[in-house]
Amino acid sequence: MGEDAPSFLQITNVSKRFNTFEALRGVNLSIQKGEIFSLLGGSGCGKTTLLRILAGFEAPTTGGVVLDGQDLAGIAPWDRPIHMMFQSYALFPHMTVEQNVGYGLKHENKSEAERKDRVRAMLELVQLTPFVGRKPHQISGGQRQRVALARALAREPKLLLLDEPLGALDKKLREQTQFELMNIQARTGITFIVVTHDQEEAMTLSDRIAVMDKGEIKQVGTPTEIYEFPKSKFIASFIGSITTFPARVLSPGQDETTVEAEAFGGNITARSIEGLRKGQELTLALRPEKIVIAKTKPKTANVFAGEVKDLAYFGKDSLYRIQLASGQLLAVHAVNSQRAGEAERAANWGEKVWIGFEPPSAILLTE
Ligand code: ATP
């Protein structure tokens, strides 16, 4: 789709002020039909406020929202083709699963039989058919989540807003439910906007993510773009772990740029970014899992000597802290692909080792 093609949901220059406090500042987003789009950010960054503006519970101070060609300004929440699924699920405790799912259809111009069919189809979609007669307190947390989802989908919204949809579930159930949610989204084709503060959840669930901070969108991209091509130190350290070092540009190039970083006591070849000039001060960032650690010198473009200062063994992997020539520490993450006893560890405490990484793993950041 071209840059100028109208998107399914267009959020233009949306700001929100509560008295003197600016909860949202100049938010612009284009979301396509059928996307799972996540708003990710720490507490208070404004993600729920943006969701509430989409739902119609708040009006923006400036800017507007257009959904599928319809300007939503002044349209009441119940008249919008949008459904919001709350973190608490907001199920009616005295109603059965079936009645809860059918509740939203009450005011629709449908026959009793049509409504029943729709409820049945939704319950099947979320695999709750055996529980139709139960009340919310007689089912598990994961099942309650699915009731809320079925109720939301029953009304066939153009847009489904999900506020921390997995927040009330424990870790194991979250993982399983995440996949169910993706599966159901794919089958219905409904556009989902998910609010979450959990970066892993956003990474696995989303087609695209908008990372927010202090009421602003800091970067929008696919999970891979956000992780591999962060635009700023904020984004790089917000998603996953990363070690950063001050560096200076020696020779900027088209694909690769050489920088010097005191921490390493030498030069590093990194993936280039646009607009670099010789002598420019910037940040070099390295993710722990992109670095190899070895006792014999690796054949990577960047190789440095170091010493193991710390080692944490987690079973499937280990985290090393390697002291560089300058005394600074670099985190290195190695997968333990061989069983203990079968082979030696990559390195032990106090051991002299080599670390190596390729230019695409060396991230340069100017913001
Ligand atoms: P969390 O993950 O903690 O829910 P969030 O990113 O969803 O955070 P919001 O609920 O959007 O954050 O709130 C953003 C900021 O706006 C917060 O500082 C909050 O205190 C403020 N805020 C939200 N609603 C109001 C209101 N009605 N009146 C005044 N301030 C508000």
Side-chain angles (χ1 to χ4, degrees):
M1 193 172 270
E3 282 282 297
D4 300 331
S7 44
F8 185 63
L9 176 68
Q10 188 68 48
I11 299 170
T12 311
N13 197 27
V14 163
S15 300
K16 179 69 187 176
R17 208 173 308 120
F18 294 109
N19 297 317
T20 54
F21 180 77
E22 278 197 294
L24 291 174
R25 305 170 209 219
V27 170
N28 289 292
L29 280 176
S30 303
I31 294 168
Q32 304 308 329
K33 197 173 158 80
E35 266 195 299
I36 302 190
F37 191 95
S38 291
L39 301 171
L40 173 67
S43 185
C45 72
K47 44 197 194 302
T48 307
T49 302
L50 184 56
L51 211 63
R52 290 173 57 81
I53 286 175
L54 295 176
F57 299 133
E58 300 278 1
T61 308
T62 66
V65 180
V66 175
L67 174 64
D68 200 13
Q70 182 189 17
D71 188 340
L72 297 181
I75 298 181
W78 50 89
D79 287 330
R80 297 184 178 206
I82 296 176
H83 189 101
M84 180 148 167
M85 191 175 119
F86 293 95
Q87 191 177 355
S88 61
Y89 308 144
L91 299 179
F92 298 109
H94 60 286
M95 289 186 189
T96 63
V97 165
E98 189 173 23
Q99 288 164 339
N100 263 289
V101 173
Y103 184 78
L105 300 178
K106 268 195 166 162
H107 308 289
E108 289 196 2
N109 205 7
K110 283 195 168 106
S111 72
E112 183 69 25
E114 272 177 316
R115 277 208 297 265
K116 277 219 144 98
D117 278 353
R118 182 96 196 122
V119 170
R120 221 169 284 140
M122 287 303 107
L123 286 167
E124 220 162 274
L125 180 71
V126 298
Q127 296 172 8
L128 278 178
T129 310
F131 305 100
V132 284
R134 296 218 198 154
K135 302 262 174 71
H137 73 275
Q138 295 167 318
I139 55 177
S140 72
Q143 289 160 345
R144 278 197 286 275
Q145 198 260 9
R146 272 143 60 196
V147 176
L149 186 62
R151 184 175 63 182
L153 295 170
R155 296 188 61 190
E156 299 178 298
K158 285 185 179 174
L159 192 62
L160 180 60
L161 309 173
L162 303 103
D163 189 6
E164 302 271 359
L166 310 174
L169 308 178
D170 65 41
K171 191 172 172 351
K172 217 168 177 167
L173 195 55
R174 286 172 84 112
E175 285 170 12
Q176 185 192 333
T177 311
Q178 228 165 30
F179 288 112
E180 280 170 11
L181 205 58
M182 290 161 77
N183 196 304
I184 288 166
Q185 191 276 338
R187 284 166 66 186
T188 58
I190 291 173
T191 309
F192 280 20
I193 298 190
V194 180
V195 154
T196 180
H197 65 272
D198 183 326
Q199 21 151 317
E200 257 181 55
E201 190 170 298
M203 296 292 277
T204 36
L205 203 64
S206 325
D207 294 309
R208 285 191 307 149
I209 300 170
V211 184
M212 296 181 67
D213 184 40
K214 298 192 189 84
E216 286 178 6
I217 307 271
K218 293 292 181 191
Q219 190 170 344
V220 181
T222 63
T224 313
E225 282 164 357
I226 299 275
Y227 190 79
E228 302 288 350
F229 301 90
K231 276 198 198 155
S232 61
K233 242 159 103 169
F234 173 79
I235 300 285
S237 46
F238 187 76
I239 312 252
S241 56
I242 203 152
T243 320
T244 57
F245 304 96
R248 187 179 309 108
V249 175
L250 284 182
S251 58
Q254 180 78 23
D255 300 324
E256 291 178 354
T257 285
T258 309
V259 299
E260 63 177 342
E262 229 167 77
F264 288 83
N267 298 349
I268 286 162
T269 314
R271 177 178 60 206
S272 267
I273 53 171
E274 270 176 42
L276 293 179
R277 53 191 162 70
K278 197 169 177 212
Q280 186 175 350
E281 309 273 344
L282 41 52
T283 300
L284 167 72
L286 290 164
R287 293 214 185 267
E289 79 282 5
K290 307 278 189 197
I291 302 168
V292 293
I293 172 168
K295 289 177 189 166
T296 52
K297 206 170 181 173
K299 290 190 175 64
T300 46
N302 299 295
V303 181
F304 296 94
E307 189 183 317
V308 179
K309 272 287 150 194
D310 262 323
L311 162 55
Y313 176 73
F314 300 115
K316 67 177 175 20
D317 45 30
S318 297
L319 184 69
Y320 297 87
R321 246 184 285 274
I322 307 295
Q323 189 166 43
L324 303 168
S326 63
Q328 289 198 49
L329 296 175
L330 175 69
V332 179
H333 189 195
V335 176
N336 299 319
S337 52
Q338 271 152 333
R339 286 175 62 183
E342 279 181 359
E344 286 181 82
R345 268 185 230 250
N348 267 312
W349 276 278
E351 226 176 323
K352 301 254 188 259
V353 289
W354 294 99
I355 57 128
F357 50 93
E358 298 294 353
S361 303
I363 301 170
L364 299 180
L365 301 164
T366 53
E367 280 178 46

